[in-house]
Amino acid sequence: MTKAAEVYRLLLRDLGPQHWWPADSPFEVIVGALLMPQTSWRNVEKAIGNLKRAGMLSPAAIAASRLDRLRAVVKPAGLYRTKPPRLREFCRHMMRASGGDVDAFLRRDREALRLELLSLKGVGPETADSILLYAAQVKVFVVDTYTRRAGRRLGLFEHEDYDSIQSYFRRNVPDDLYVYQEYHALMVALAKHACRARPRCGACPLLEVCRHGRACSKRA
DNA sequence: ACCCAGGTGTTTC
DNA sequence: GAAACACATGGG
């Protein structure tokens, strides 16, 4: 078993299945991914809740919305000068590409879809891959800050760029969609859990991974 | 009164 | 090209 696979086994054992991405629909995953950067999930949840209450959680509704209105609704997600216009433009793109049919939009060729996503403003590699993995059920590994920190701290790799780290996981974890989805979710769960755990779980060495990639100094 | 968050685009050496 | 910077809200 590879080291990466062993890490996965321990995370799953000690933190349990995460059942990611927390969302009721593929479109909600997309909206969440677009609102997420540099923002706490709590705030993204608020913004999505506002969209739901406003009856705006659909490509058509957002595509047709007025910018000041959309801005007010997703305000908790912050970065109001960039996120709302990009979210609306993303939805307008989906309207053109598939008439707003989210499943049809996501069902197309994965390589082409990834490039298409990356071509849209506000969509970088992590956002694109999150959409692919959790909305389109495409088997791509998502690399985020926590994955980098934890992976480095655990000695899986050192200061690699996005593609290298993604490639590392592709080569070292089981070729399985569920594993891909859970692995990334568990890395985030680990990061959130590590510093907070009091008392620390002494049985799991992985929980020494802390924010900033250092060993956690706050021992129980 | 800081610092941070499941990045991205732009500007600057 | 790599590295630094701006971005905005809400919570610790």
mmCIF file of all heavy atoms in Angstrom, chain A residues 145 147-160 165 212-213:
data_model
loop_
_atom_site.group_PDB
_atom_site.id
_atom_site.type_symbol
_atom_site.label_atom_id
_atom_site.label_comp_id
_atom_site.label_asym_id
_atom_site.label_seq_id
_atom_site.Cartn_x
_atom_site.Cartn_y
_atom_site.Cartn_z
ATOM 1 N N THR A 145 -5.355 24.463 -0.502
ATOM 2 C CA THR A 145 -4.343 24.852 0.487
ATOM 3 C C THR A 145 -4.141 23.768 1.536
ATOM 4 O O THR A 145 -3.006 23.442 1.889
ATOM 5 C CB THR A 145 -4.767 26.151 1.188
ATOM 6 O OG1 THR A 145 -4.955 27.154 0.195
ATOM 7 C CG2 THR A 145 -3.709 26.613 2.161
ATOM 8 N N THR A 147 -4.782 20.586 1.372
ATOM 9 C CA THR A 147 -4.167 19.392 0.796
ATOM 10 C C THR A 147 -2.667 19.579 0.673
ATOM 11 O O THR A 147 -1.879 18.682 0.960
ATOM 12 C CB THR A 147 -4.764 19.106 -0.588
ATOM 13 O OG1 THR A 147 -6.190 19.024 -0.472
ATOM 14 C CG2 THR A 147 -4.234 17.796 -1.154
ATOM 15 N N ARG A 148 -2.261 20.784 0.249
ATOM 16 C CA ARG A 148 -0.828 21.101 0.152
ATOM 17 C C ARG A 148 -0.150 21.017 1.500
ATOM 18 O O ARG A 148 0.855 20.340 1.670
ATOM 19 C CB ARG A 148 -0.647 22.524 -0.388
ATOM 20 C CG ARG A 148 -0.908 22.668 -1.841
ATOM 21 C CD ARG A 148 -0.157 23.896 -2.355
ATOM 22 N NE ARG A 148 -0.077 23.846 -3.792
ATOM 23 C CZ ARG A 148 -0.901 24.512 -4.595
ATOM 24 N NH1 ARG A 148 -1.810 25.287 -4.081
ATOM 25 N NH2 ARG A 148 -0.793 24.397 -5.896
ATOM 26 N N ARG A 149 -0.703 21.745 2.476
ATOM 27 C CA ARG A 149 -0.112 21.798 3.814
ATOM 28 C C ARG A 149 -0.019 20.413 4.426
ATOM 29 O O ARG A 149 1.038 19.995 4.903
ATOM 30 C CB ARG A 149 -0.979 22.665 4.733
ATOM 31 C CG ARG A 149 -0.784 24.134 4.584
ATOM 32 C CD ARG A 149 -1.685 24.823 5.585
ATOM 33 N NE ARG A 149 -1.837 26.236 5.244
ATOM 34 C CZ ARG A 149 -2.874 26.972 5.606
ATOM 35 N NH1 ARG A 149 -3.863 26.423 6.272
ATOM 36 N NH2 ARG A 149 -2.930 28.235 5.285
ATOM 37 N N ALA A 150 -1.156 19.731 4.426
ATOM 38 C CA ALA A 150 -1.185 18.421 5.063
ATOM 39 C C ALA A 150 -0.255 17.457 4.329
ATOM 40 O O ALA A 150 0.495 16.709 4.957
ATOM 41 C CB ALA A 150 -2.613 17.876 5.088
ATOM 42 N N GLY A 151 -0.285 17.492 3.011
ATOM 43 C CA GLY A 151 0.551 16.595 2.217
ATOM 44 C C GLY A 151 2.028 16.839 2.486
ATOM 45 O O GLY A 151 2.815 15.897 2.599
ATOM 46 N N ARG A 152 2.406 18.099 2.588
ATOM 47 C CA ARG A 152 3.802 18.435 2.900
ATOM 48 C C ARG A 152 4.162 17.960 4.294
ATOM 49 O O ARG A 152 5.182 17.312 4.515
ATOM 50 C CB ARG A 152 4.017 19.958 2.820
ATOM 51 C CG ARG A 152 4.293 20.468 1.420
ATOM 52 C CD ARG A 152 5.021 21.814 1.455
ATOM 53 N NE ARG A 152 4.257 22.854 2.121
ATOM 54 C CZ ARG A 152 3.445 23.700 1.490
ATOM 55 N NH1 ARG A 152 3.293 23.597 0.189
ATOM 56 N NH2 ARG A 152 2.782 24.614 2.144
ATOM 57 N N ARG A 153 3.305 18.296 5.236
ATOM 58 C CA ARG A 153 3.563 17.943 6.632
ATOM 59 C C ARG A 153 3.679 16.430 6.822
ATOM 60 O O ARG A 153 4.472 15.938 7.616
ATOM 61 C CB ARG A 153 2.436 18.490 7.499
ATOM 62 C CG ARG A 153 2.431 18.023 8.924
ATOM 63 C CD ARG A 153 3.512 18.701 9.764
ATOM 64 N NE ARG A 153 3.511 18.181 11.139
ATOM 65 C CZ ARG A 153 4.528 17.540 11.679
ATOM 66 N NH1 ARG A 153 5.632 17.366 11.009
ATOM 67 N NH2 ARG A 153 4.454 17.101 12.912
ATOM 68 N N LEU A 154 2.898 15.718 6.036
ATOM 69 C CA LEU A 154 2.902 14.260 6.148
ATOM 70 C C LEU A 154 4.031 13.633 5.344
ATOM 71 O O LEU A 154 4.214 12.428 5.354
ATOM 72 C CB LEU A 154 1.557 13.689 5.686
ATOM 73 C CG LEU A 154 0.356 14.084 6.557
ATOM 74 C CD1 LEU A 154 -0.955 13.759 5.847
ATOM 75 C CD2 LEU A 154 0.418 13.382 7.902
ATOM 76 N N GLY A 155 4.763 14.494 4.629
ATOM 77 C CA GLY A 155 5.888 13.983 3.875
ATOM 78 C C GLY A 155 5.517 13.288 2.578
ATOM 79 O O GLY A 155 6.294 12.498 2.043
ATOM 80 N N LEU A 156 4.336 13.595 2.061
ATOM 81 C CA LEU A 156 3.915 12.976 0.796
ATOM 82 C C LEU A 156 4.638 13.620 -0.379
ATOM 83 O O LEU A 156 4.967 12.976 -1.359
ATOM 84 C CB LEU A 156 2.404 13.112 0.610
ATOM 85 C CG LEU A 156 1.525 12.448 1.674
ATOM 86 C CD1 LEU A 156 0.051 12.662 1.351
ATOM 87 C CD2 LEU A 156 1.837 10.967 1.798
ATOM 88 N N PHE A 157 4.887 14.931 -0.273
ATOM 89 C CA PHE A 157 5.583 15.669 -1.326
ATOM 90 C C PHE A 157 6.117 16.968 -0.739
ATOM 91 O O PHE A 157 5.828 17.302 0.408
ATOM 92 C CB PHE A 157 4.647 15.976 -2.499
ATOM 93 C CG PHE A 157 3.298 16.462 -2.061
ATOM 94 C CD1 PHE A 157 3.113 17.758 -1.620
ATOM 95 C CD2 PHE A 157 2.200 15.611 -2.077
ATOM 96 C CE1 PHE A 157 1.871 18.209 -1.198
ATOM 97 C CE2 PHE A 157 0.947 16.056 -1.658
ATOM 98 C CZ PHE A 157 0.787 17.354 -1.218
ATOM 99 N N GLU A 158 6.914 17.684 -1.527
ATOM 100 C CA GLU A 158 7.499 18.961 -1.095
ATOM 101 C C GLU A 158 7.228 20.036 -2.126
ATOM 102 O O GLU A 158 7.506 19.831 -3.297
ATOM 103 C CB GLU A 158 9.019 18.816 -0.953
ATOM 104 C CG GLU A 158 9.485 18.071 0.271
ATOM 105 C CD GLU A 158 9.522 18.952 1.508
ATOM 106 O OE1 GLU A 158 9.612 20.184 1.350
ATOM 107 O OE2 GLU A 158 9.450 18.391 2.614
ATOM 108 N N HIS A 159 6.696 21.137 -1.719
ATOM 109 C CA HIS A 159 6.567 22.319 -2.575
ATOM 110 C C HIS A 159 6.429 22.032 -4.068
ATOM 111 O O HIS A 159 7.293 22.391 -4.851
ATOM 112 C CB HIS A 159 7.760 23.270 -2.360
ATOM 113 C CG HIS A 159 7.884 23.711 -0.944
ATOM 114 N ND1 HIS A 159 7.022 24.596 -0.369
ATOM 115 C CD2 HIS A 159 8.771 23.357 0.020
ATOM 116 C CE1 HIS A 159 7.351 24.792 0.889
ATOM 117 N NE2 HIS A 159 8.398 24.049 1.155
ATOM 118 N N GLU A 160 5.396 21.381 -4.443
ATOM 119 C CA GLU A 160 5.167 21.099 -5.859
ATOM 120 C C GLU A 160 4.072 22.030 -6.368
ATOM 121 O O GLU A 160 3.312 22.582 -5.593
ATOM 122 C CB GLU A 160 4.705 19.649 -6.039
ATOM 123 C CG GLU A 160 5.489 18.655 -5.236
ATOM 124 C CD GLU A 160 6.659 18.093 -6.027
ATOM 125 O OE1 GLU A 160 6.866 18.565 -7.162
ATOM 126 O OE2 GLU A 160 7.339 17.204 -5.520
ATOM 127 N N ILE A 165 1.198 17.938 -7.810
ATOM 128 C CA ILE A 165 0.533 17.345 -6.658
ATOM 129 C C ILE A 165 -0.668 16.516 -7.107
ATOM 130 O O ILE A 165 -0.898 15.402 -6.636
ATOM 131 C CB ILE A 165 0.085 18.444 -5.667
ATOM 132 C CG1 ILE A 165 1.318 19.157 -5.084
ATOM 133 C CG2 ILE A 165 -0.766 17.840 -4.554
ATOM 134 C CD1 ILE A 165 0.995 20.342 -4.204
ATOM 135 N N HIS A 212 -1.003 25.975 8.809
ATOM 136 C CA HIS A 212 0.322 26.502 8.513
ATOM 137 C C HIS A 212 1.356 25.402 8.326
ATOM 138 O O HIS A 212 2.519 25.677 8.146
ATOM 139 C CB HIS A 212 0.813 27.466 9.582
ATOM 140 C CG HIS A 212 -0.224 28.478 9.943
ATOM 141 N ND1 HIS A 212 -0.754 29.331 9.001
ATOM 142 C CD2 HIS A 212 -0.859 28.730 11.089
ATOM 143 C CE1 HIS A 212 -1.664 30.083 9.606
ATOM 144 N NE2 HIS A 212 -1.754 29.732 10.858
ATOM 145 N N GLY A 213 0.917 24.170 8.402
ATOM 146 C CA GLY A 213 1.821 23.083 8.074
ATOM 147 C C GLY A 213 2.839 22.771 9.142
ATOM 148 O O GLY A 213 3.717 21.958 8.938
#
